[in-house]
Amino acid sequence: MTMRTLGGVPEGCRERLIAHYGPKVQDWLDTVPSVLGQVAERWNLSLEGYHDAGHASVIATATDPDERPLLLKAWADPARYRHEIRALRLWAGGMTVDVMETADDHAVALLELVGGRPGGSDWRQRETQMVAGALHGLHIRGRAESLTISLPLLSDYLRFEVLPRIEKRVLSLDLGQWAPLVEDEFHALATLKEDPERSTVLHGDLYRENVPFDRNGHPRLLDPVPMVGDAAFDWAFWTVYYDLGRETKQRLATAARISRIPVPVIAPWCRLLSLDGLLYYVDTGDPRAPQMTEVLSFLSARGAGGYA
């Protein structure tokens, strides 16, 4: 039986997107069921239901006439849609999720369902090494296109978003016992600089849930927030956030070995991201703040790599 209508967007997804984009996104959320129905009819799909896994978008599962499982993804921000599709097409060929169809008029895409189910397969052998190899492959391909592809710049993201919010929170939050650590890291930020020789197309959002494995045991990176900038940023993000508080040291060592970017170069980017994360967790009352403090303390210790 073909189904081309879904009910309203799940409440958790609505709340998350409203928190991210503000109240203005509510009208868009109300139109999503109708939009998904239109593109399902356009591409002859049967809708199965929503899949809510913390994304900054609305995702639904679907099947085509051959019963192949697929994902429909709808973006609230057309610019984010364009950037993500542009990067996924640049990286196409087995390292990322495949883009099957796009509807530019609705900022909706039909995507491969990695592993045949949301979250991918359970086959994650040699996970750290496999994901590092996939990320390195993305960077190699992105390096050749970084001067021509139209994407946001890491330098702008740092200058206009990350550094201002760090400064604002350092000055306004009651950091208690963490204040000395935060102040030391904040003052060290001034020496952090990108290296143009490492410029590539970055994934920018390397959480573990964004790296499902296919049925052959290969990682397939999805949900990028692509930018052009220093590859060390991606390696640092993966080191810190892929599995927060677990195997940080191992990932840092693997990142340096695979990328051939020395630990003392990657570590300052790790510290930047850890500081930003810690301040966010403190500001929002997130229980992961102590966990992030341990990560930042490790990265700040002698031997983890200081600011160059």
Side-chain angles (χ1 to χ4, degrees):
M1 177 180 177
T2 300
M3 183 175 73
R4 293 194 175 128
T5 58
L6 293 175
V9 173
E11 192 59 33
C13 181
R14 289 186 66 95
E15 291 176 358
R16 186 175 62 256
L17 290 180
I18 291 170
H20 185 80
Y21 289 108
K24 62 183 180 182
V25 81
Q26 293 185 75
D27 290 342
W28 176 82
L29 287 166
D30 292 339
T31 69
V32 165
S34 174
V35 167
L36 293 180
Q38 292 176 49
V39 295
E41 183 173 2
R42 181 183 304 181
W43 296 327
N44 197 19
L45 304 172
S46 178
L47 298 176
E48 302 291 327
Y50 290 106
H51 172 60
D52 185 21
H55 305 290
S57 56
V58 176
I59 295 176
T61 55
T63 55
D64 66 9
D66 295 325
E67 298 298 318
R68 178 175 51 170
L70 299 162
L71 286 179
L72 273 176
K73 183 171 182 178
W75 286 257
D77 180 356
R80 185 162 179 168
Y81 157 78
R82 291 192 299 271
H83 296 153
E84 185 167 334
I85 295 301
R86 197 169 290 149
L88 290 176
R89 284 176 167 161
L90 165 69
W91 292 323
M95 294 180 291
T96 58
V97 62
D98 287 339
V99 179
M100 316 300 292
E101 301 279 359
T102 55
D104 293 347
D105 51 337
H106 293 301
V108 174
L110 181 64
L111 305 173
E112 170 194 17
L113 184 54
V114 176
R117 66 180 191 182
S121 76
D122 291 329
W123 192 0
R124 286 178 173 260
Q125 293 184 341
R126 300 179 62 247
E127 181 172 355
T128 298
Q129 292 78 8
M130 294 289 285
V131 175
L135 179 57
H136 187 53
L138 258 62
H139 286 168
I140 290 173
R141 187 169 298 178
R143 192 166 291 119
E145 303 291 338
S146 63
L147 296 178
T148 59
I149 192 168
S150 178
L151 287 171
L153 298 177
L154 172 62
S155 57
D156 289 342
Y157 174 60
L158 296 175
R159 179 182 177 187
F160 297 114
E161 293 188 44
V162 177
L163 296 177
R165 74 189 178 210
I166 287 176
E167 181 175 13
K168 179 181 177 181
R169 284 169 171 155
V170 166
L171 295 175
S172 64
L173 293 176
D174 180 4
L175 298 168
Q177 61 181 327
W178 301 324
L181 174 65
V182 167
E183 289 173 6
D184 287 346
E185 293 301 316
F186 176 64
H187 291 308
L189 291 177
T191 61
L192 184 62
K193 291 181 174 60
E194 290 189 71
D195 184 342
E197 295 297 318
R198 295 193 297 264
S199 186
T200 186
V201 178
L202 305 172
H203 181 283
D205 209 32
L206 287 159
Y207 295 100
R208 193 169 190 258
E209 56 266 29
N210 288 343
V211 189
F213 278 58
D214 64 23
R215 291 187 176 99
N216 296 318
H218 297 142
R220 306 284 292 279
L221 282 64
L222 48 76
D223 289 334
V225 182
M227 299 173 283
V228 172
D230 194 324
F233 176 88
D234 259 358
W235 290 110
F237 197 110
W238 179 66
T239 296
V240 172
Y241 281 108
Y242 186 78
D243 194 358
L244 181 63
R246 291 176 55 86
E247 300 186 351
T248 307
K249 182 177 180 180
Q250 293 91 323
R251 278 196 301 279
L252 179 57
T254 302
R257 178 172 56 84
I258 298 296
S259 69
R260 298 187 179 180
I261 304 173
V263 165
V265 175
I266 299 174
W269 291 93
C270 294
R271 292 163 66 183
L272 165 71
L273 291 166
S274 300
L275 177 61
D276 187 34
L278 172 60
L279 292 169
Y280 171 74
Y281 291 158
V282 172
D283 195 14
T284 59
D286 193 296
R288 291 172 291 182
Q291 202 171 14
M292 184 62 87
T293 304
E294 292 180 4
V295 172
L296 182 56
S297 297
F298 156 70
L299 293 165
S300 301
R302 184 182 301 274
Y307 286 92

